[in-house]
Amino acid sequence: MAGMATAWLAALVLVFTACSTGERVDLGDEASGNLIAAIAGEPDQLDPQKTSAYFSFEVLENVFDTLVEPDENLQMQPALAESWEVSPDQLTWTFHLRDGVRWHDGTPLTADDVVYSYRRIIDEQLTNVDKFSAVTDVSAPDPATVRIVVSHPTPNLLTNLGGFKGMAIVQRGNVESGQIATHPIGTGPFAFAGRKSGDSITLKANPHYWGPEPRVSGVTFRFISEPATALSALQAGEIDWTDSVPPQRVAQLRDDDSLTLAVTPSNDYWYLALNEARAPWNDVRVRQAIAYGIDRDAIATATSYRTAAINQLAIPEGNPWFTSYDRYRFDLDESKRLLDEAGAHPENLDMLVTSEYPETVTAAQIIADNLAPLGISVNIRTVDFATWLDEQNTGNFDMLMMGWLGNIDPDDFYYAQHHSNGTSNAQKFSDPEVDRLLDAGRVETDTAERKDVYARAATRIADEVSYIYLYNPSVIQAWSNDLSGYVARRDGAIRFRTADLGRGGPE
């Protein structure tokens, strides 16, 4: 996930407790008047620099800030830094902090907080350390200034610093007290108010937010694992917003005037990965055989009901970094030829999926049918997401399916996942030419040249089958007609800072 897929998260969610039609959920006094948002799973933790779970970032998007942040068009804009400049040699970036920003506990934000946050990621080798690969120094010349020195021109530095909340600025005291994972303190539009394990997380409006004051008193995130249940709750007036919408209902909901539906093309993608640390998947011909042996159209239809765009690379059509690629048609004869050429005839394939991303379970069933004529029996191993993460990280799988969310720069789509030293290269792919191209893309400042570099990298990644790309999904969300001021974003960031329910704002 901004990327996210990024790696991810935790305890399974409970099915939404039914309420009588038309009644709002009673969440206690602290949530009275809140915007009620239903998300599909429970955050594993609330430390933005350590979690990589999308469910966590849905909440944390509203709690923390970054130096800069993407607007609706995914162009980087001021956030905690109100301005910046780059030296003529492109090696020194100087950021000027916004005046008067305070943490949720009332203490002032200073440049030392930014330095601490970035040093923590670097020194502790946290999930997003790769985004600092070019950084040689981070300092605070004065309380309002942050200086970042890079070893070479870094055209995607702003995206690295602000593309998603995994790069959030955190408070030293909150970290050192050990409370950040359960009671985070940020500078964002909403402050953490409470958590009911297995049920909900509640945020309250931050009246001292540096931007426009939120127009709702708070946000309560309910954990509703079943999309049909979330949609029913929305239609009954029990919740105000959800991104857990059954894709098979989209066509019908387009004509439903009782709610607002958004189907927004995204930069997200879903993929399969084969474990190259194991035979026979370490043979590119065997991986190519599997790539020819799956029916992407059937998978996309079953998982998204044609709300997604089939794609054999990561970056979708319409994105300025898009590259056309269509090598892998569904062709079992070609699969058999490649397996024969490799002298490999695997009889079993252990496929790791998770019930918290039902797309993976649905796709696995189709893949099992696809590969059966090849003599391959697919063992679909369905686990909760915490277990999925552990199994991925320890390499205990033949194949897995997952998605990456919130990508902006081409580096987000490819480096961490496919560079030999990438921090999210769970499939253990290693190719010197891909490494060379991905390294080159990080320093190339000419946009046309950079696009060519990434086109070649993406093509080779697909040729060598580091991932088997499936499709680019749409961001599908629905909300009450009473909710205004909210925008569905193609990076999947859930921002309620401008949302208004017309029920009165914070007191």
Side-chain angles (χ1 to χ4, degrees), residues 134-197:
V135 173
T136 59
D137 186 59
V138 183
S139 62
D142 60 63
T145 306
V146 175
R147 184 167 294 148
I148 297 177
V149 180
V150 291
S151 58
H152 51 71
T154 309
N156 62 329
L157 183 67
L158 291 180
T159 302
N160 283 348
L161 296 180
F164 82 117
K165 292 301 186 289
M167 299 293 286
I169 306 307
V170 299
Q171 187 192 65
R172 179 192 291 265
N174 193 217
V175 173
E176 293 182 346
S177 68
Q179 295 185 18
I180 188 170
T182 57
H183 198 296
I185 294 174
T187 58
F190 296 93
F192 178 82
R195 179 173 188 161
K196 296 180 180 178
S197 181

Side-chain angles (χ1 to χ4, degrees), residues 72 105 305 368 412 468:
E72 292 175 29
D105 64 3
Y305 290 81
D412 301 336
I468 300 173

Side-chain angles (χ1 to χ4, degrees), residues 234-251:
L234 177 64
Q235 293 173 319
E238 296 158 359
I239 63 174
D240 301 302
W241 175 97
T242 186
D243 65 347
S244 187
V245 178
Q248 64 268 35
R249 297 286 299 277
V250 165

Side-chain angles (χ1 to χ4, degrees), residues 303-323:
T303 57
S304 76
Y305 290 81
R306 301 196 182 280
T307 61
I310 295 169
N311 194 0
Q312 295 191 27
L313 297 182
I315 299 178
E317 191 168 5
N319 184 299
W321 303 96
F322 171 74
T323 298

Side-chain angles (χ1 to χ4, degrees), residues 41-195:
E42 181 170 5
D44 61 335
Q45 60 160 303
L46 298 174
D47 181 342
Q49 295 183 350
K50 286 194 171 182
T51 185
S52 52
Y54 180 58
F55 302 139
S56 296
F57 286 117
E58 289 188 274
V59 175
L60 298 176
E61 179 71 32
N62 300 278
V63 176
F64 286 95
D65 291 312
T66 43
L67 270 192
V68 294
E69 65 179 12
D71 63 16
E72 292 175 29
N73 297 315
L74 305 187
Q75 299 300 307
M76 305 311 296
Q77 303 293 339
L80 292 180
E82 62 180 356
S83 65
W84 56 88
E85 61 261 2
V86 188
S87 62
D89 63 5
Q90 300 286 309
L91 299 182
T92 301
W93 295 66
T94 303
F95 295 87
H96 305 284
L97 298 187
R98 194 177 296 275
D99 185 46
V101 178
R102 293 187 173 274
W103 295 98
H104 292 148
D105 64 3
T107 56
L109 172 83
T110 70
D112 286 338
D113 293 311
V114 179
V115 174
Y116 170 77
S117 298
Y118 292 165
R119 290 306 323 177
R120 180 186 186 223
I121 293 173
I122 295 168
D123 295 344
E124 297 184 25
Q125 294 286 294
L126 300 183
T127 303
N128 299 300
V129 66
D130 179 66
K131 296 185 181 298
F132 289 107
S133 62
V135 173
T136 59
D137 186 59
V138 183
S139 62
D142 60 63
T145 306
V146 175
R147 184 167 294 148
I148 297 177
V149 180
V150 291
S151 58
H152 51 71
T154 309
N156 62 329
L157 183 67
L158 291 180
T159 302
N160 283 348
L161 296 180
F164 82 117
K165 292 301 186 289
M167 299 293 286
I169 306 307
V170 299
Q171 187 192 65
R172 179 192 291 265
N174 193 217
V175 173
E176 293 182 346
S177 68
Q179 295 185 18
I180 188 170
T182 57
H183 198 296
I185 294 174
T187 58
F190 296 93
F192 178 82
R195 179 173 188 161

